[in-house]
Amino acid sequence: MADAAPSPPPPGWRDHARRGRDRWRRLPLAARVLLWIIGLILALWLILFITKGRFLKAPFERVMTGQLERQVRVGGDFQLYFAPIAIKFRAEGLRIANLPWASRPDLFHADLIDMRIAPLSLIFGDRYRLPWLELRNAAADLEWSRDRQHNTWTLGDPDRKGEPITLPLIRRALLAGTTLRYRDPVMQLATDIRFETAKARDTRFASDLRFAGDGTMRDRPFTLTGGLLSPNETMTGGRNSLALRAVAGATVLEVSGSLPGATELEGSDLRLVTTGPNLSLLFDFLGVAIPDTRRYRFTSALTKAGEEWRFTHLKGRFGDSDLAGRMTVSLPKNRLLIDADLVTRTLDIVDVGPFIGYDPQRLEAQGADGAIETVGGAPRILPDAPLRVEAIRNFDANVRYAVRTIRAPNVPIANAAVTVKLDRSLLTLSPLTFDMSGGHVASDIEIDARRSPVRTRYDIRLAPTPMGRLLARWGVEESGTTGTIKGRVQMTGLGDTLHESLGSANGRIAVILPAGSMWARNVQLSELDVGTFVTKMFAGKLKQPVEINCGLIAFTVRNGVAAADPILIDTKKNVMLGRGGFSFRNERLDLVFRADGKKISLFSGQSPVGVNGWFARPRIDVISPELLARGGAAAALGVAASPLAAVLAFADVGDAKAAACGPVLAGADAQAQRTRGGKPRDDVGRGTTAKDEKGKGSRKEQKSQDRKFLGIF
């Protein structure tokens, strides 16, 4: 048998290498590049994992110092590697220097910082994700500069404008001996908070992060306590449980609920409860100015969606009034914005006072008398509480508020609504509307705090309102009264308080009475027409209506002093004229009314009737000096002749000039008024505070009114 052919020798490593090289060369270039990259990454990962990245300590300090433009130093051990996918960073004795103007040398320092970083969050998204963070004996110093243009946590260029704090999204944390210091000179806020982590008692949670702190806000001290329970790693989908309590004097705020992560507020499910003596004290912590209130208690659901904090299902009480609705707080373009829709079912009149500057505590203790203060021996009712100009510069607002019923004796107001807008110190209440005595009031008020002093524009319009209902508390009865009233106030004033604004105002006030009837007794009593009143009374026709042709009660306001321009009411049988004025400056009244009959009437007290005193305490001078003189003449005639002759002293000769109603119903000034024959009226004054028919006034009267209206002695 022939010998078998020898088998080929097995391939050596050179053969394997040659075949592998051939296969590599046959791969597309893109595939070869990709594999090279993957290989380098795996090699880098392996090197970092084995060495723990300790050799990167010096490059880390150098690169971070350049990027942050702050000195960064690691005093002890340093580790930076993938474990296995998340980035593990560990540093002992880490220090990040502060800016030169800061009150502390370090922005941050820690004996130990150990954290895991989600790699993709460094590339995508605007917030880093930390599945784990451990800090030991760490301290962070967060400060705003005195001009609030810069802060310590906005890293990089030291001249860069300060940005709001953006915390990383931390799922779980372990803190020991860690403190946070925050200072804001403009907001007048200073606080120090201490953090400690304890073992959780509930087995569903791995740890309980406790925090406690104190501080001051606008010189008012407060304390802060709370805890955050972190879920156990074995609890799939576990959420952090938060409990927080802040106390500032009698103001208490409590927040409880759950968070997706330790600092992950998006999708939070929280409940807020707050109580206190004055809601404005709570909003001071946001740097937001709102009117004072009486004691309050509110509850709300609270969550964060995007850049918005949403307060939903808001409900509670302030004083004796209720409030419900929703509110959103956000920071568009780094500026605080409040947007709200609020509803009150029943608003107590005492709770309205603080909205225009009255002290809620005085109103609660004294009722309506709490709105009156004595200044220089005289009563004053216009409030002097200043608009907080500096505070309203800090935020913008868009608030819609509706009130169904206002609980108040003798104030027939309901269905009020207002839209409040604040746009960089320009505050508007437009529209501000409410129903009153069957009529409707619509207002537009603009308060411009962009300038100094503050300028306020008032435009208040009263739609035709039944006179019988509007004046019911003054003795006018609806039965037999068909007349209506409409009016408008247009003024502009300067000043930071309502009193200052009206005390410097210029503009016009006009109340128009279209044709209608009013219960005769009220008209005749206001005219002191004793003869007509007695005749009607004995004839048994006391409720016979008197026809009003037209009427105008108007004032021109100059530098806070309102002059009758004109007061003219034309009825079927009489013409009532008024002259004089009043002052918003010191709230003095100096008006005189006179009624002239169109037909002769006996027992007519035709002499003027004065209205004097102050807004808070008006006085009606029914028995004027002229009427007393007539009484003296009547007594003399009665003695010299007979009692019947005494009535001659009270006789109205019936020479009143009927009014042309066109200018009256148009709200025209005194110079535009005409008689029914078309002639200019010479008995309505000249739009001055003078009380004679020509509107000139004597030097003595002028001096007297200067003392009354301007306080000039």
Side-chain angles (χ1 to χ4, degrees):
M1 173 182 284
D3 294 336
S7 61
W13 65 270
R14 284 187 175 86
D15 295 325
H16 287 294
R18 185 174 56 255
R19 285 195 295 270
R21 186 167 56 250
D22 292 339
R23 285 194 297 269
W24 173 259
R25 288 173 178 174
R26 286 195 296 270
L27 289 174
L29 178 62
R32 281 183 281 167
V33 171
L34 180 61
L35 289 172
W36 267 108
I37 293 174
I38 294 173
L40 288 173
I41 291 175
L42 289 174
L44 178 62
W45 178 90
L46 184 60
I47 292 171
L48 291 175
F49 188 80
I50 294 173
T51 65
K52 307 302 183 186
R54 290 186 171 91
F55 65 92
L56 295 176
K57 177 178 177 180
F60 171 84
E61 293 176 331
R62 184 171 59 254
V63 171
M64 295 306 296
T65 296
Q67 289 290 324
L68 305 183
E69 298 196 28
R70 316 277 183 93
Q71 187 179 51
V72 178
R73 290 289 181 266
V74 179
D77 186 33
F78 176 88
Q79 298 180 20
L80 180 62
Y81 62 97
F82 291 93
I85 297 176
I87 299 173
K88 176 181 173 63
F89 175 80
R90 177 185 175 94
E92 296 179 356
L94 175 66
R95 290 183 177 274
I96 303 175
N98 225 334
L99 292 171
W101 55 262
S103 60
R104 296 290 175 87
D106 293 332
L107 167 64
F108 176 82
H109 68 262
D111 289 353
L112 172 67
I113 176 171
D114 187 352
M115 60 183 177
R116 305 293 186 274
I117 306 171
L120 293 179
S121 70
L122 300 178
I123 304 173
F124 306 104
D126 55 355
R127 298 178 69 183
Y128 301 150
R129 293 184 175 272
L130 308 182
W132 168 256
L133 172 65
E134 179 181 358
L135 294 174
R136 294 191 181 277
N137 298 325
D141 181 67
L142 308 180
E143 297 183 55
W144 281 96
S145 60
R146 292 190 177 276
D147 60 2
R148 216 170 192 271
Q149 294 299 307
H150 310 283
N151 58 44
T152 58
W153 62 86
T154 299
L155 304 172
D157 184 358
D159 295 326
R160 181 181 172 188
K161 187 175 181 180
E163 298 178 353
I165 297 175
T166 302
L167 296 174
L169 299 176
I170 303 172
R171 296 292 296 181
R172 299 175 62 242
L174 177 65
L175 309 181
T178 298
T179 62
L180 171 68
R181 180 176 180 268
Y182 183 85
R183 298 292 185 270
D184 188 338
V186 174
M187 298 294 293
Q188 302 177 43
L189 173 61
T191 184
D192 295 274
I193 304 175
R194 301 168 298 281
F195 298 89
E196 294 286 349
T197 303
K199 183 175 178 60
R201 296 181 180 180
D202 192 327
T203 57
R204 294 175 300 171
F205 298 93
S207 61
D208 184 1
L209 176 62
R210 309 278 179 84
F211 54 87
D214 53 32
T216 59
M217 177 72 177
R218 303 186 189 280
D219 296 325
R220 286 188 288 272
F222 67 88
T223 60
L224 183 70
T225 58
L228 184 67
L229 289 166
S230 296
N232 194 302
E233 290 181 336
T234 61
M235 297 291 293
T236 303
R239 294 172 65 88
N240 292 262
S241 178
L242 172 69
L244 179 150
R245 177 181 173 88
V247 179
T251 301
V252 179
L253 184 146
E254 296 179 337
V255 178
S256 60
S258 62
L259 304 175
T263 61
E264 193 172 351
L265 303 175
E266 190 82 19
S268 55
D269 183 12
L270 303 172
R271 182 175 184 271
L272 178 145
V273 179
T274 180
T275 61
N278 189 334
L279 197 56
S280 69
L281 299 179
L282 176 64
F283 275 80
D284 277 347
F285 284 84
L286 290 174
V288 172
I290 68 167
D292 291 330
T293 69
R294 293 195 286 169
R295 177 163 289 279
Y296 68 90
R297 184 183 188 277
F298 288 102
T299 63
S300 171
L302 173 61
T303 190
K304 188 174 186 295
E307 297 302 317
E308 295 181 347
W309 280 101
R310 296 177 179 176
F311 299 80
T312 56
H313 304 293
L314 174 67
K315 59 182 179 180
R317 300 189 65 82
F318 62 102
D320 292 323
S321 307
D322 62 88
L323 184 70
R326 63 150 198 93
M327 180 175 70
T328 300
V329 179
S330 59
L331 279 169
K333 298 181 180 179
N334 296 330
R335 183 170 176 82
L336 182 65
L337 172 65
I338 296 177
D339 187 273
D341 286 285
L342 304 172
V343 175
T344 291
R345 289 177 297 178
T346 303
L347 179 63
D348 192 272
I349 191 63
V350 175
D351 295 316
V352 177
F355 285 81
I356 55 176
Y358 292 117
D359 184 344
Q361 307 308 321
R362 282 176 56 91
L363 293 177
E364 186 172 19
Q366 304 177 34
D369 290 339
I372 302 174
E373 293 189 8
T374 301
V375 179
R380 177 175 292 178
I381 196 168
L382 293 178
D384 274 320
L387 178 69
R388 294 171 56 187
V389 176
E390 292 300 324
I392 68 171
R393 288 175 180 166
N394 298 330
F395 70 103
D396 295 330
N398 186 12
V399 178
R400 294 154 296 279
Y401 180 44
V403 179
R404 297 176 185 172
T405 304
I406 296 180
R407 185 193 302 117
N410 304 318
V411 181
I413 295 177
N415 299 321
V418 62
T419 297
V420 181
K421 291 186 178 181
L422 178 62
D423 180 13
R424 297 189 180 275
S425 299
L426 180 62
L427 177 63
T428 59
L429 287 74
S430 178
L432 167 59
T433 63
F434 55 87
D435 295 335
M436 181 173 69
S437 300
H440 187 72
V441 175
S443 309
D444 298 291
I445 300 174
E446 178 187 273
I447 304 173
D448 186 357
R450 296 172 178 173
R451 49 181 292 167
S452 181
V454 175
R455 181 182 66 194
T456 304
R457 292 176 176 171
Y458 306 88
D459 188 358
I460 305 169
R461 303 169 298 279
L462 172 65
T465 301
M467 187 186 304
R469 294 182 62 181
L470 182 64
L471 303 179
R473 64 172 299 192
W474 286 280
V476 177
E477 292 190 7
E478 293 186 50
S479 177
T481 299
T482 64
T484 61
I485 294 177
K486 63 179 181 178
R488 188 167 190 175
V489 176
Q490 288 182 297
M491 295 192 300
T492 300
L494 302 176
D496 294 349
T497 71
L498 179 61
H499 184 265
E500 290 177 356
S501 174
L502 294 178
S504 63
N506 294 282
R508 186 157 173 81
I509 303 169
V511 176
I512 297 173
L513 285 70
S517 62
M518 189 170 72
W519 183 21
R521 183 177 67 174
N522 298 282
V523 172
Q524 301 302 335
L525 280 176
S526 65
E527 297 172 349
L528 287 184
D529 193 331
V530 180
T532 305
F533 174 73
V534 171
T535 299
K536 287 181 175 292
M537 183 177 64
F538 282 103
K541 298 179 181 179
L542 191 59
K543 292 188 178 181
Q544 178 182 339
V546 170
E547 299 296 328
I548 297 175
N549 297 322
C550 56
L552 172 62
I553 303 172
F555 297 89
T556 294
V557 184
R558 305 178 185 90
N559 295 321
V561 177
D565 190 21
I567 298 175
L568 172 61
I569 301 175
D570 186 273
T571 70
K572 184 176 181 180
K573 297 182 179 181
N574 305 86
V575 175
M576 178 185 289
L577 302 170
R579 288 177 290 276
F582 60 87
S583 173
F584 286 114
R585 294 186 178 189
N586 56 14
E587 307 181 21
R588 289 295 299 267
L589 298 164
D590 190 11
L591 291 157
V592 63
F593 296 88
R594 178 188 182 99
D596 291 333
K598 295 179 179 179
K599 297 180 180 180
I600 189 168
S601 172
L602 299 180
F603 294 101
S604 176
Q606 185 187 355
S607 298
V609 177
V611 177
N612 303 300
W614 292 268
F615 291 178
R617 295 192 181 96
R619 183 177 67 253
I620 298 178
D621 189 4
V622 178
I623 308 299
S624 68
E626 192 172 339
L627 191 59
L628 287 174
R630 290 191 175 206
L637 287 171
V639 172
S642 68
L644 185 60
V647 302
L648 296 177
F650 292 92
D652 184 342
V653 297
D655 59 351
K657 304 169 186 176
C661 283
V664 172
L665 297 177
D669 60 19
Q671 294 184 357
Q673 298 301 321
R674 298 291 184 269
T675 65
R676 189 168 294 175
K679 296 181 179 180
R681 297 194 72 99
D682 59 2
D683 55 355
V684 291
R686 299 182 178 180
T688 69
T689 57
K691 292 185 286 186
D692 69 348
E693 290 187 0
K694 302 298 182 182
K696 293 182 178 180
S698 65
R699 180 177 295 273
K700 180 179 179 181
E701 181 185 63
Q702 184 62 48
K703 288 183 177 180
S704 174
Q705 289 187 337
D706 285 346
R707 289 196 299 270
K708 289 181 179 180
F709 295 157
L710 307 178
I712 299 174
F713 293 93

